[in-house]
Amino acid sequence: MRSIEWKREREDEPVRYYEQGREAELRPGQTHIMIVPVTPSFEAHVKIS
């Protein structure tokens, strides 16, 4: 798992992913991206029953 940020200047541009301020290199093939909120904490969003 990697923690990255994403940015795009305009809606018609592709999303670019950044890791530690530099564009992240992703391996060719399928990539699964999960968007996880940080405020409130992840645990506050998850309910296990």
Side-chain angles (χ1 to χ4, degrees):
M1 182 174 83
R2 295 165 60 181
S3 180
I4 60 174
E5 295 181 4
W6 64 271
K7 298 178 187 176
R8 82 174 161 188
E9 299 296 322
R10 299 187 327 245
E11 272 190 45
D12 61 338
E13 290 185 350
V15 174
R16 302 224 180 251
Y17 301 96
Y18 294 87
E19 187 173 38
Q20 298 178 350
R22 296 178 20 207
E23 192 163 355
E25 294 183 24
L26 303 176
R27 292 183 179 191
Q30 294 182 348
T31 300
H32 181 84
I33 297 174
M34 296 175 53
I35 299 173
V36 180
V38 294
T39 305
S41 69
F42 175 71
E43 289 78 11
H45 289 279
V46 177
K47 184 175 185 179
I48 299 175
S49 55

